[in-house]
Amino acid sequence: MGIVAGLDSSPDFTRIVVCDSDTGAVLRQGYAPHPLESPEGGGRPADVDPQAWLLSLGEAAGGGLLEGVQAIGVSAQANSVVPLDAQGNTVRPAMVGGDKRSQVAAADLIDALGGREAWAQAVGSVPQTAQPVTKLRWLARSEPEAAARTAVLLQAHDWLVWQLLGRPARRTTDRGGASGTGYWSAATGGYRPDLVELALGHQAMLPEVIGPSDAAGTTPEGLLISAGTGETQAAAFGLGIGLGDAVVSLGASGSVMAVHTEPLVDQSGMITALADATGMHLPVVTTLNAVRTLRGTAELLGVPDLESLSELAMKSTPGSHGLVLLPYLEGERTPNLPHTAGTLAGLRRESMRPEHLARAAFEGMLCGLADALDVLRLRGVDVRRVFLLGAAAELPAVQAAAPALFGTQVVVPQPADYAAIGSARQAAWALGVSQGTLDPRTPPAWQGAVAQVLEPGEELAVGQAVRQQFVSVREQTHPGAL
């Protein structure tokens, strides 16, 4: 079939991979940071001029990187809003990422529709500070003139696809991107324009939601551009996960997602009902405390880094000599305990050693993520294999404990640009469908991720006992929280 490219515009950089469209083999790669100005006090800006994404894209594609490419797929950071006026110009900089300015707006929206359950029924998620619908409410309250001029709403990957196509009259998105907005329902497959009006104060034009293997269009130079999707969905597609697979991502906070055949309506709001990039569903459960638990413990024990903390933890044994850490250091979302603190239980003289606390931190983090996995399992989601992502997944203490605590096979993929690879795979799919060589319902079968596979083996019974110890302390401390 030829050569395709996948472009991932993350919060900090653009990464491009050029792949063989038949096998998925990566042929060339490009990278460029976004030329972003840091806000006062450092950190990542909450407002970004989208032109920065285009500049970064141009730099990453330099040196003839895209020579011979027939189709491009685009993924980009989720939870971004690019508000445009009637002429297609940006009304204000794009609003991106988790935005603390929107906390009051989220609470306002939840009340305005009649509570968390009403939102879960409407669109499969409860408004959070990062979601586009919440950012629109903030915009209407804080910048009413900009809100009034807003006529079109795009997300980052929608805007980039539109730019690559030469800003046509037709604007498109995909199910994956639309499902994270807070005004599109994965259950009905349709927008809720009334929720846009509730948030923004008036209607706005929304991009057409096209199918997973559909093309968004062709560039003036003749390059096919696929539907595009959000970064999360692209990474899942790049990993090649399917039914029976879950992905546990270890960042400062944690997330658990799994492929499922239908959308899940969760009245507690713990599950966010996303769609994936293949026509299936991708329910997600997040925890606020993952690697930040390990970093806090490392600081407390005076060890220099997470590798040293892991080494220390390996000197202990499963169960940490009775120590149990409920790692709710920032409050918690799963279980929903926003104002709580962490708990250290099981202190005895013999357990008060650095190695046992180090082990308890790893076990507490993983048990918290196992709780999130159970939220999905209890709703009928099949989990036979867990992909473990993030730099912390390489730590020996994580790999030693995770299979037994999760109760299933754990796969640790080699680090790679999975979102960009997933975007390239989508481009290959759209190209194959346009040429009549691929079925629009069946994506191309690419080589899976190179990975280390870990089995629970004989440690399963011990791991489940440790997990039960954690659950007992959680139930005693926060009865009925899950």
Side-chain angles (χ1 to χ4, degrees), residues 122-472:
V123 289
S125 64
V126 177
Q128 299 147 25
T129 55
Q131 276 187 307
V133 72
T134 309
K135 292 183 168 82
L136 296 183
R137 180 72 157 199
W138 176 87
L139 186 64
R141 292 284 189 268
S142 304
E143 299 179 7
E145 289 183 14
R149 289 193 295 122
T150 298
V152 183
L153 295 172
L154 298 181
Q155 292 192 84
H157 79 82
D158 309 336
W159 187 85
L160 283 165
V161 165
W162 183 59
Q163 295 290 330
L164 288 172
L165 292 173
R167 296 165 58 109
R170 181 191 188 214
R171 299 176 181 92
T172 61
T173 190
D174 85 307
R175 296 168 66 255
S179 66
T181 60
Y183 43 81
W184 185 87
S185 167
T188 66
Y191 282 116
R192 288 287 302 265
D194 58 314
L195 299 182
V196 174
E197 188 167 352
L198 182 70
L200 187 62
H202 61 87
Q203 296 285 347
M205 187 177 290
L206 302 170
E208 176 190 345
V209 180
I210 61 176
S213 62
D214 291 345
T218 306
T219 69
E221 299 78 29
L223 269 174
L224 185 113
I225 307 292
S226 63
T229 194
E231 210 167 25
T232 299
Q233 289 85 352
F237 197 40
L239 281 167
I241 67 169
L243 287 171
D245 291 335
V247 177
V248 172
S249 185
L250 300 176
S253 53
S255 69
V256 175
M257 61 182 178
V259 179
H260 197 47
T261 52
E262 57 190 33
L264 297 179
V265 174
D266 175 53
Q267 295 168 0
S268 72
M270 281 192 289
I271 298 174
T272 298
L274 297 182
D276 79 348
T278 71
M280 301 284 273
H281 294 272
L282 202 64
V284 179
V285 180
T286 57
T287 69
L288 292 182
N289 301 280
V291 176
R292 64 165 42 98
T293 305
L294 305 182
R295 294 203 184 286
T297 307
E299 288 171 19
L300 180 66
L301 293 174
V303 297
D305 49 41
L306 297 188
E307 288 73 20
S308 304
L309 187 72
S310 171
E311 199 176 314
L312 188 59
M314 294 298 283
K315 294 176 181 174
S316 181
T317 53
S320 311
H321 272 244
L323 279 190
V324 176
L325 177 64
L326 301 183
Y328 307 150
L329 309 183
E330 298 278 323
E332 190 46 86
R333 269 190 64 185
T334 308
N336 186 24
L337 298 166
H339 307 301
T340 194
T343 302
L344 184 62
L347 282 169
R348 296 181 183 277
R349 178 64 191 89
E350 62 271 18
S351 65
M352 296 176 74
R353 296 185 57 83
E355 62 267 29
H356 303 323
L357 179 55
R359 177 92 188 195
F362 282 96
E363 291 178 345
M365 174 187 77
L366 292 169
C367 283
L369 290 160
D371 277 352
L373 267 173
D374 282 352
V375 169
L376 294 177
R377 282 173 164 145
L378 290 168
R379 294 298 308 278
V381 178
D382 185 24
V383 178
R384 296 189 299 273
R385 183 169 65 159
V386 169
F387 284 74
L388 202 55
L389 302 186
E394 303 288 336
L395 296 172
V398 169
Q399 297 192 3
L405 292 177
F406 292 160
T408 190
Q409 184 187 82
V410 169
V411 179
V412 184
Q414 280 188 2
D417 304 319
Y418 291 110
I421 290 167
S423 300
R425 190 178 177 207
Q426 188 193 64
W429 194 6
L431 181 65
V433 169
S434 76
Q435 295 174 338
T437 56
L438 286 178
D439 187 320
R441 294 160 300 181
T442 310
W446 279 13
Q447 299 160 347
V450 177
Q452 187 179 2
V453 178
L454 310 168
E455 300 284 356
E458 296 175 0
E459 297 295 313
L460 182 60
V462 174
Q464 293 306 288
V466 173
R467 175 104 168 80
Q468 189 52 52
Q469 183 176 265
F470 177 91
V471 170
S472 297

